[in-house]
Amino acid sequence: MSTTDREPRTRLDVLDEAGRKTLFTEARTANTFAATAVVDDELAAIWEMARWSPSAANGQPLRVLFLRTRAGKERLVRHLDEGNRAKTLSAPAVAILAYDVDFHDQMPTVFPARGERLRAAFADQIEKRESIAGRDALRWSPLTVHPGRRQYRGQRAGAPGGGVVG
């Protein structure tokens, strides 16, 4: 069945009360963390959920880098506000969310039906790519952070990602 053969959706699903509390009304910034390691499988599971969020032409410009070692976090905290340094160092995992302005180079992989055409169309449009990448990555950010917060809030750092480094 193609997407054009589907019956029109007449009713939207509603997020239940527990989901609304987790994502919106009771969501808070974590300031303390348990001394429990965040393992690769946990980060991969959260990333697997978050990576399905929408992006223009499936461009997927979001890039996420996890830091788990003390050395990696120390390199990061030099760039943070003083008030965020101690809690960042104490977190078992920290995610850096960014976007790739050259996301169009991956279009043949992420959108095989039109990838080459889209890559060529975006090739000389740096301003347009920056706008799309920034908007789409910003759209992804809550979807990326919240699944982790839901699973680990009050226990561990909660943000998924693509790569894990020191």
Side-chain angles (χ1 to χ4, degrees):
M1 174 184 276
S2 74
T3 56
T4 57
D5 295 336
R6 291 185 196 156
E7 290 294 319
R9 196 170 194 176
T10 57
R11 183 178 172 284
L12 295 176
D13 294 332
V14 176
L15 186 63
D16 66 16
E17 182 65 22
R20 288 192 300 272
K21 284 181 179 181
T22 298
L23 295 173
F24 302 108
T25 61
E26 293 182 7
R28 301 292 180 267
T29 298
N31 289 300
T32 59
F33 305 94
T36 306
V38 178
V39 299
D40 289 349
D41 287 347
E42 293 168 315
L43 297 176
I46 296 168
W47 173 248
E48 182 62 25
M49 268 192 300
R51 74 184 188 96
W52 293 103
S53 62
S55 63
N58 201 33
Q60 302 175 5
L62 180 68
R63 302 296 182 260
V64 181
L65 181 68
F66 272 98
L67 305 174
R68 289 192 291 196
T69 67
R70 178 84 182 180
K73 290 183 274 186
E74 285 175 352
R75 289 179 60 198
L76 172 65
V77 298
R78 294 185 299 226
H79 305 283
L80 300 180
D81 183 72
E82 182 69 36
N84 292 321
R85 292 177 182 176
K87 65 183 173 183
T88 299
L89 287 170
S90 72
V94 176
I96 300 172
L97 281 66
Y99 64 84
D100 180 2
V101 72
D102 293 325
F103 70 91
H104 69 295
D105 288 334
Q106 301 303 317
M107 295 304 285
T109 301
V110 297
F111 198 168
R114 296 189 187 119
E116 290 297 337
R117 190 175 92 214
L118 288 166
R119 178 170 41 193
F122 283 121
D124 296 326
Q125 297 187 39
I126 184 70
E127 293 85 11
K128 187 171 189 171
R129 292 193 327 256
E130 286 177 350
S131 174
I132 290 170
R135 181 195 65 225
D136 284 355
L138 182 62
R139 182 184 312 145
W140 276 48
S141 298
L143 298 171
T144 304
V145 173
H146 283 294
R149 177 181 285 164
R150 179 173 185 264
Q151 188 168 356
Y152 302 117
R153 191 168 152 236
Q155 298 176 13
R156 305 176 183 166
V164 179
V165 298

